[in-house]
Amino acid sequence: ADYSWATFWGIADFRVATFQKRATFYEASFQGKASFNGAIFHEEASFEVVTFKEKVSFGRTTFKGKANFRDAIYENTADFFSATFEDETDFNRSIFEGEVFFTGWEEFSLFSGKSPSHFSSVRFVQPELVHFEGVNLSRASFFKTDLREIHFRMSSGIRRRVGIVFS
């Protein structure tokens, strides 16, 4: 599916959608709320240079291939509650202006730990509203990203195998 340069007015509802092939939203603009809750991306999902004007939710979304959010702008809440990233994840140079939730649950972790997660040069405008909870950051890189005031909390089942790479 190719939604490059598309503008979504109103609510963009991709809940429980299944993308069998590569899904591209390059330079798309979401003017209203966007929901990808429960969606499954079997191959690469590219949200490169995307703008989300309102809340975007990727709750329980599964990314089986690479997930590319490079240079994306989140002007409101970005919610990745219990999303699953099974391959490389790239948030490099993204800007988060509102509240951000990277939260796993129970014994499940947001990032697999098998592939790298990149958060280089990410800008969190309101770092006190950023939450990394119950996530596996053992393969995460935060090069040139200010992590002061960001909330990191690991669940007890994950704590032993989590580390953060500050490069």
Side-chain angles (χ1 to χ4, degrees):
D2 190 350
Y3 297 98
S4 297
W5 301 287
T7 299
F8 296 90
W9 300 98
I11 296 172
D13 188 356
F14 289 92
R15 289 178 295 173
V16 300
T18 299
F19 297 88
Q20 296 290 344
K21 303 281 185 191
R22 184 176 196 268
T24 303
F25 292 84
Y26 182 80
E27 281 196 39
S29 176
F30 292 85
Q31 298 296 310
K33 292 181 181 179
S35 177
F36 291 86
N37 291 337
I40 300 172
F41 294 89
H42 286 277
E43 294 186 9
E44 181 178 354
S46 178
F47 291 87
E48 193 172 1
V49 199
V50 166
T51 300
F52 295 102
K53 295 276 190 185
E54 298 295 330
K55 179 181 179 177
V56 59
S57 181
F58 289 94
R60 298 189 182 192
T61 300
T62 300
F63 297 91
K64 293 182 177 286
K66 182 177 179 183
N68 185 355
F69 294 89
R70 182 183 290 256
D71 295 304
I73 299 172
Y74 305 83
E75 295 183 10
N76 208 300
T77 301
D79 188 357
F80 293 89
F81 173 76
S82 292
T84 303
F85 296 93
E86 297 179 7
D87 202 337
E88 185 175 0
T89 308
D90 186 347
F91 286 94
N92 290 342
R93 295 190 311 266
S94 291
I95 299 171
F96 293 90
E97 296 180 7
E99 197 160 21
V100 183
F101 296 94
F102 287 104
T103 52
W105 59 280
E106 306 273 330
E107 70 273 14
F108 299 99
S109 180
L110 207 65
F111 305 103
S112 70
K114 296 175 186 171
S115 298
S117 301
H118 307 284
F119 291 89
S120 297
S121 300
V122 171
R123 184 166 168 241
F124 296 110
V125 176
Q126 298 181 73
E128 69 280 4
L129 298 179
V130 178
H131 310 274
F132 283 88
E133 299 181 6
V135 297
N136 184 339
L137 298 173
S138 61
R139 300 278 317 273
S141 171
F142 291 87
F143 182 66
K144 293 187 178 181
T145 297
D146 187 353
L147 299 175
R148 291 175 292 181
E149 299 184 48
I150 291 177
H151 302 277
F152 289 95
R153 190 175 83 201
M154 307 307 160
S155 66
S156 59
I158 296 171
R159 183 173 288 127
R160 289 184 305 275
R161 34 175 218 198
V162 172
I164 303 174
V165 177
F166 298 95
S167 48

